[in-house]
Amino acid sequence: MAVTFLADPRLFGLVSGSDPASPRQRHLGRRAFLGVVATGVSALWWGDAAWRGAGKLLSVPSSLQAALPAPGTGWRIYSVNPPMPTFDRRSWRLRIEGLVERPVELTYDELLALPRSEQVSDFHCVTGWSVPDVRWTGVRFAELLAPARPSRAARALSFVSMERPYVDSLTLDQASRPDAMLAYAMDGLPLTRPHGAPVRVVMPAMYGYKGVKWVERIVVEDRPTNGFWEQRGYDRNAWVGHSNGY
Ligand SMILES: Nc1nc2c(c(=O)[nH]1)N[C@H]1C(S)=C(S)[C@@H](COP(=O)(O)O)O[C@H]1N2
Ligand SMILES: [Mo]
């Protein structure tokens, strides 16, 4: 495989800092967010004019999420429970379990040996920033799941991050979209630690919180369950432009 593990110099300096920040939210169900907004609205530290103009603004306690700008890239690095997980190529395994005939454990090299897909898609965070034309390389979920042989009752996938307690899910239909994948490279380089090394979920039609970083386990289930942000009021079906983050 052509992929080698290189540090991305654009992001290298970001790993050590961890200024906590509180992304603001608009148009979210008030009741669902009562717990979250209890700490009140804090400063929008990255100063996005579009957001200052938004009417109803809610905040998330800084203890729930750290954000770092990645200068020049358009990305902001999110993590709910710093420090970010570290990836050890030798000991890392991706486990696929749950409603399967054969639970599977893949090494990083085995993952890279699976049929590879590539795509260019836009990325949208529900807090209002986007990154156009991200080139992702990885494995389609159908290819990834085939060896585990999901049972007839299988309807959904839960993605469990090495970063506890971050988790999210997709229905099998959603995961079967031609632009959904488990990605191990971004813009031609292996995923960096801030972006979720070694693998993250890519679901361009939905907001970024569906894209679990530092994935270590995929659980096949009979129904989707609420992910980290969904337990805090965001829509599980996070369609860009058609969910409560819109
Ligand atoms: N494990 C984990 N995955 C995560 C998050 C997180 O905090 N922890 N944040 C999500 C959100 S809200 C967004 S917008 C993207 C941000 O991706 P980035 O940090 O690579 O910019 O990651 C998503 N995946
Ligand atoms: Mo996000």
Side-chain angles (χ1 to χ4, degrees):
M1 282 287 157
V3 175
T4 50
F5 213 81
L6 301 167
D8 183 345
R10 289 173 307 175
L11 296 168
F12 210 70
L14 294 173
V15 185
S16 52
S18 75
D19 305 342
S22 303
R24 285 182 175 190
Q25 212 42 63
R26 55 179 173 175
H27 302 307
L28 289 164
R30 213 155 50 93
R31 238 178 336 153
F33 269 81
L34 282 182
V36 169
V37 299
T39 57
V41 176
S42 60
L44 187 57
W45 68 287
W46 56 74
D48 181 338
W51 283 92
R52 258 184 243 112
K56 184 168 141 199
L57 295 171
L58 302 175
S59 80
V60 172
S62 57
S63 59
L64 280 184
Q65 181 158 299
L68 294 168
T73 68
W75 290 96
R76 282 160 202 167
I77 304 301
Y78 284 156
S79 139
V80 295
N81 189 13
M84 293 181 262
T86 48
F87 162 51
D88 173 34
R89 186 172 181 152
R90 267 163 306 174
S91 62
W92 182 82
R93 298 287 183 277
L94 177 67
R95 289 191 286 153
I96 303 172
E97 58 192 33
L99 298 176
V100 296
E101 285 175 27
R102 197 176 74 91
V104 167
E105 256 194 33
L106 292 172
T107 66
Y108 186 63
D109 292 324
E110 287 167 343
L111 179 74
L112 296 189
L114 292 177
R116 155 194 303 228
S117 292
E118 204 161 80
Q119 71 190 50
V120 173
S121 51
D122 295 347
F123 181 92
H124 303 283
C125 172
V126 71
T127 61
W129 56 271
S130 298
V131 182
D133 300 330
V134 186
R135 183 154 63 94
W136 298 107
T137 311
V139 184
R140 299 288 172 213
F141 291 109
E143 306 275 12
L144 189 61
L145 293 172
R149 294 200 294 272
S151 73
R152 293 163 60 97
R155 295 286 181 282
L157 305 176
S158 273
F159 303 97
V160 181
S161 177
M162 286 191 267
E163 181 194 43
R164 316 279 146 159
Y166 206 95
V167 61
D168 210 299
S169 69
L170 293 172
T171 66
L172 278 189
D173 282 352
Q174 292 164 355
S176 306
R177 287 175 59 96
D179 59 351
M181 65 156 66
L182 190 75
Y184 48 72
M186 181 207 279
D187 295 330
L189 290 173
L191 273 189
T192 58
R193 182 183 179 204
H195 283 304
V199 289
R200 71 185 287 163
V201 173
V202 171
M203 182 68 181
M206 292 192 182
Y207 286 114
Y209 61 86
K210 302 300 290 186
V212 179
K213 304 193 290 182
W214 307 293
V215 174
E216 66 172 357
R217 204 148 57 87
I218 299 177
V219 187
V220 181
E221 294 173 327
D222 60 359
R223 67 186 71 121
T225 52
N226 281 340
F228 182 89
W229 287 111
E230 294 142 26
Q231 292 159 26
R232 290 157 180 80
Y234 291 77
D235 281 347
R236 191 193 295 147
N237 293 318
W239 302 113
V240 173
H242 305 276
S243 64
N244 70 355
Y246 174 56

